[in-house]
Amino acid sequence: MTTTGASTVVTATGELDNAITERLQECLIKGISARPRAVIMDLSRVSFCSAGAVRVLLTAHSHARAEGVACAVVSSHRAVVRPISALGLGHLLLLHPDIAAAEGWLSVALDDSSPAPNF
């Protein structure tokens, strides 16, 4: 987990199987609880994403939204994109190809003069 002034980046690598979902959830909740303006879930180096991990991502997104923290997911790998797309969750778990794209989206989404984004 890396925190800058405006955002916290939670990075996961390897396989997000059911054995690590509790640890993933703890990291995401810790990042959100620090109350940054945004949390970026960097899954760009994930090779497998279980249904349990998708559930953790959804729970973290819901928690972040309740706390007023914007959320973005970074990954262009099939292992992450496919389950999110297949389940029709792309409108909730906004996917970005890299951290720069997520930060760009967040800078627009968090601009006080813009209409409130759906994060």
Side-chain angles (χ1 to χ4, degrees), residues 43-60:
L43 309 180
S44 61
R45 295 180 296 190
V46 168
S47 58
F48 175 78
C49 185
S50 71
V54 172
R55 185 176 58 250
V56 166
L57 297 175
L58 284 169
T59 300

Side-chain angles (χ1 to χ4, degrees), residues 11 25 48 51 118:
T11 303
Q25 183 171 348
F48 175 78
N118 180 22

Side-chain angles (χ1 to χ4, degrees), residues 32-80:
I32 294 164
S33 295
R35 305 281 311 241
R37 290 191 68 198
V39 169
I40 299 172
M41 298 180 249
D42 181 5
L43 309 180
S44 61
R45 295 180 296 190
V46 168
S47 58
F48 175 78
C49 185
S50 71
V54 172
R55 185 176 58 250
V56 166
L57 297 175
L58 284 169
T59 300
H61 176 270
S62 177
H63 178 67
R65 188 172 181 156
E67 295 292 325
V69 176
C71 230
V73 179
V74 171
S75 186
S76 60
H77 292 289
R78 175 183 164 106
V80 176

